Amino acid sequence: RELGKRLVVAGCVPQADSSLAKPGGLLDGVSLLGVQQFDRVVEVVQHALEGSTVALLDRPHGSRPSLDLPKVRRNALVEIVPINTGCLGSCSYCKTVHARGRLGSYTPDAIVRRVQAAYAEGVCEVWLTSEDSGAYGKDLGTSLAALFDRLLPLVPEGRMLRLGMTNPPHVLSQLDKVVQALAHPRCYAFLHLPVQSGSDAVLSAMRREYSAADFRTVADTLLQHVPGLSLATDIICGLPGETDADHQMTMRLCRYYRFPFLNISQFYPRPGTPAARMRRVPSHVVKERSRELSALFGSYTTNDRYDGAELTVLVTDWHLHKGLASLVAHDKSYVQVLLPFDPALLGATVRVRVTFTSKFHVRADVLHMLHRPPPGPAASMARAAAAAAV
């Protein structure tokens, strides 16, 4: 405002807290775009450039933007397909339902068409995303398992499918099918399964609708039956009412599973949520618990087993770090594998031998190519990478 710029604020924040747009509020006089109105972004920007303000925050029941809207992919080789919006939960600390509403699933036919089109355009990876993938289809009388049955046969040789975050109770009800999907050769053996706490008392206060034992059942079954599974999880430290004993239960759970990916956050009271009205744990205690958990996570590595191993990886990106360009690939377990820079391999599936391991990635040398890059964006991405890395 001070610079005379026209502003458009989009996403969850204006959608979840309308008070921000009231006179005197932080977003007063700013154009707003809600989570289910982004297909009208051009219209809102035009109004803003003309000096007027609009607020498109309606959330009509059952209305979702088309999956076929024009897009510019951040990574030309990766397609992100939302399979549902909103949530079935009522977590005491979360504003997802405030911002995105209750569960709304895209039809299986719409998802199938989008995935088919993406692979036909030369995309190498498709990510299925949502606030809770496991809840997919419950509003339509179908399920994530049934969706997998339709999607996995569509994945071409040398391409991959990745499942996004899902909460434990919705996996528990279709565990056998999820095991089959994650074990499929063209689906990454990776799952983001937030536990949030190892204490049943805290999970109950969070209204998470599962117990620590439920999480362990899901995790143990997946780890036993999906070879090489990488399991990611989330922890919230310091929910109001969390005791030292509760925290130690979380520590024991994380120590047992040694998650290769662990997202640690400190409780933050989101206005309008039940947890925001609860008596908070002292901030210095929350910080100490977060530090303790972070120290545990930093004390181990799960990639040592890859030292000297031969892997099959899909190359989907490249990056430049301290003047060194590398290709970025992932193996079946979605472990990040960095390779010597050769832009012609972008989009290819290659066989590699690991030469170095660290906590968050491994390095490897290319042995030979298994599948060439598909026609499409891989060639132009390779040319751009070659020019940028000079």
Side-chain angles (χ1 to χ4, degrees):
R1 286 169 175 163
E2 291 176 354
L3 296 174
K5 302 291 185 180
R6 305 296 186 186
L7 295 176
V8 175
V9 177
C12 293
V13 171
Q15 186 80 67
D17 193 351
S18 59
S19 66
L20 294 173
K22 292 180 179 179
L26 179 65
L27 300 180
D28 181 23
V30 173
S31 289
L32 306 175
L33 188 64
V35 296
Q36 293 186 12
Q37 306 281 352
F38 61 79
D39 53 339
R40 299 176 66 182
V41 62
V42 173
E43 175 186 344
V44 175
V45 170
Q46 286 175 338
H47 279 292
L49 291 174
E50 292 166 0
S52 59
T53 59
V54 295
L56 300 182
L57 299 175
D58 290 342
R59 200 174 57 210
H61 180 70
S63 174
R64 282 169 293 283
S66 169
L67 293 178
D68 297 319
L69 290 172
K71 67 175 68 177
V72 177
R73 299 183 180 101
R74 178 176 294 182
N75 181 329
L77 300 180
V78 176
E79 171 80 355
I80 299 174
V81 179
I83 60 175
N84 53 271
T85 62
C87 183
L88 284 176
S90 55
C91 296
S92 63
Y93 56 87
C94 182
K95 296 200 76 167
T96 293
V97 173
H98 296 237
R100 297 185 178 273
R102 306 305 292 177
L103 177 71
S105 301
Y106 285 93
T107 66
D109 286 347
I111 297 169
V112 166
R113 286 195 302 270
R114 183 65 250 154
V115 170
Q116 283 180 314
Y119 285 128
E121 291 164 11
V123 161
C124 294
E125 279 184 11
V126 171
W127 298 357
L128 305 179
T129 66
S130 83
E131 285 75 39
D132 187 353
S133 299
Y136 171 77
K138 289 183 179 292
D139 55 326
L140 300 180
T142 185
S143 66
L144 179 65
L147 183 65
F148 268 129
D149 286 341
R150 293 191 61 180
L151 292 181
L152 285 170
L154 304 178
V155 184
E157 199 73 35
R159 323 274 188 97
M160 296 295 286
L161 188 70
R162 197 187 89 168
L163 177 62
M165 186 184 79
T166 181
N167 285 311
H170 301 308
V171 177
L172 191 60
S173 63
Q174 48 191 329
L175 196 48
D176 290 346
K177 282 288 190 178
V178 173
V179 164
Q180 290 177 23
L182 296 179
H184 189 282
R186 291 190 289 281
C187 182
Y188 283 117
F190 169 87
L191 189 63
H192 181 190
L193 188 74
V195 63
Q196 305 299 7
S197 175
S199 161
D200 283 348
V202 174
L203 292 174
S204 178
M206 289 179 168
R207 303 180 184 173
R208 289 290 289 172
E209 301 179 350
Y210 59 87
S211 65
D214 291 334
F215 175 86
R216 289 178 180 272
T217 296
V218 173
D220 291 347
T221 302
L222 292 171
L223 289 166
Q224 180 179 355
H225 296 289
V226 181
L229 177 78
S230 290
L231 195 61
T233 200
D234 302 344
I235 298 292
I236 296 175
C237 293
L239 187 92
E242 182 187 67
T243 66
D244 287 338
D246 294 326
H247 171 64
Q248 289 306 316
M249 292 178 192
T250 299
M251 291 290 293
R252 284 195 292 273
L253 184 141
C254 292
R255 194 175 290 116
Y256 178 82
Y257 285 103
R258 293 166 59 92
F259 299 104
F261 308 97
L262 180 59
N263 304 309
I264 303 167
S265 62
Q266 299 177 18
F267 170 76
Y268 175 79
R270 290 173 171 82
T273 61
R277 300 189 294 271
M278 299 164 65
R279 184 176 180 179
R280 296 179 62 182
V281 177
S283 59
H284 72 277
V285 175
V286 178
K287 290 177 182 177
E288 179 56 35
R289 291 174 184 173
S290 176
R291 282 194 293 266
E292 186 179 7
L293 190 56
S294 296
L296 171 62
F297 180 57
S299 69
Y300 63 84
T301 177
T302 57
N303 289 334
D304 292 345
R305 60 195 171 102
Y306 285 102
D307 192 26
E310 291 191 11
L311 306 173
T312 297
V313 301
L314 176 59
V315 184
T316 57
D317 208 350
W318 71 281
H319 75 170
L320 195 62
H321 180 65
K322 295 182 178 179
L324 175 66
S326 301
L327 296 181
V328 180
H330 293 88
D331 77 335
K332 175 72 163 68
S333 301
Y334 208 68
V335 170
Q336 187 180 80
V337 182
L338 302 183
L339 306 174
F341 187 66
D342 180 356
L345 294 179
L346 283 164
T349 301
V350 296
R351 192 72 175 165
V352 303
R353 179 178 290 114
V354 175
T355 58
F356 169 82
T357 66
S358 68
K359 185 169 182 63
F360 297 111
H361 73 273
V362 304
R363 286 192 172 275
D365 290 333
V366 177
L367 300 176
H368 56 269
M369 185 184 296
L370 297 173
H371 299 284
R372 293 186 176 279
S380 57
M381 188 175 176
R383 289 191 295 269
V390 173

